[in-house]
Amino acid sequence: MARYTADIRWALAEGEDFAAGRYSRGHTIRFDGEIEVPGSASPHVVGKWAVEAAVDPEEMLVAALSSCHMLSVLHVARLAGFVARAYRDHAEGTMEEIAPGRQAVTRVVLRPRIDWSGEIPDAETLAELHHKAHDTCFIANSVRTEVTIA
């Protein structure tokens, strides 16, 4: 069993009004290895109280799915005898209402582009690699969000 941690820190700033909802949603997220990332609620959710230059939870979910898929594709491609030289993705998540007053990231579309060295997998083989990668991706296995490849 593996364990993963994240430390979250937030504090009310001088002059902010917590009871009225007039406070910054900006915070810090620290991961093992001591990397610290500025975090915030999404501007789509809290408007001016968000920190636009920070990463929000919805973006982190999309990035986690994309990153996990990439790592899984690289692994299954290597096992299949292919050599990847570069990988790019422009992933996009969609937030929707799933019940009155409840929202969720219901769909994430991954748009991976892979540069190969040597033999290049045909379309059918590439689709199979993506399917195997999706099945082995720990994050995809952990969410109900629909994940598709475009």
Side-chain angles (χ1 to χ4, degrees), residues 6-87:
D7 294 315
I8 309 297
R9 302 251 192 273
W10 171 88
L12 188 65
E14 187 69 34
E16 292 181 331
D17 186 346
F18 186 81
R22 295 186 183 113
Y23 60 93
S24 174
R25 287 359 182 239
H27 57 279
T28 59
I29 307 161
R30 179 174 278 184
F31 298 97
D32 62 354
E34 299 303 310
I35 188 166
E36 194 168 275
V37 177
S40 178
S42 169
H44 299 289
V45 176
V46 297
K48 72 178 186 176
W49 301 106
V51 178
E52 288 202 40
V55 64
D56 61 58
E58 297 82 7
E59 291 170 323
M60 286 189 282
L61 175 63
V62 171
L65 284 163
S66 176
S67 176
C68 185
H69 186 80
M70 177 199 68
L71 294 168
S72 298
V73 164
L74 296 177
H75 175 70
V76 298
R78 181 185 63 79
L79 293 178
F82 296 103
V83 178
R85 292 184 324 131
Y87 184 106

Side-chain angles (χ1 to χ4, degrees), residues 85-123:
R85 292 184 324 131
Y87 184 106
R88 299 173 306 284
D89 186 11
H90 179 75
E92 183 177 337
T94 302
M95 175 96 77
E96 296 179 301
E97 186 173 69
I98 58 170
R102 294 184 64 203
Q103 293 188 338
V105 176
T106 57
R107 184 168 186 235
V108 172
V109 177
L110 306 178
R111 294 176 181 86
R113 300 297 178 259
I114 305 167
D115 294 334
W116 302 98
S117 179
E119 182 183 356
I120 298 173
D122 61 28

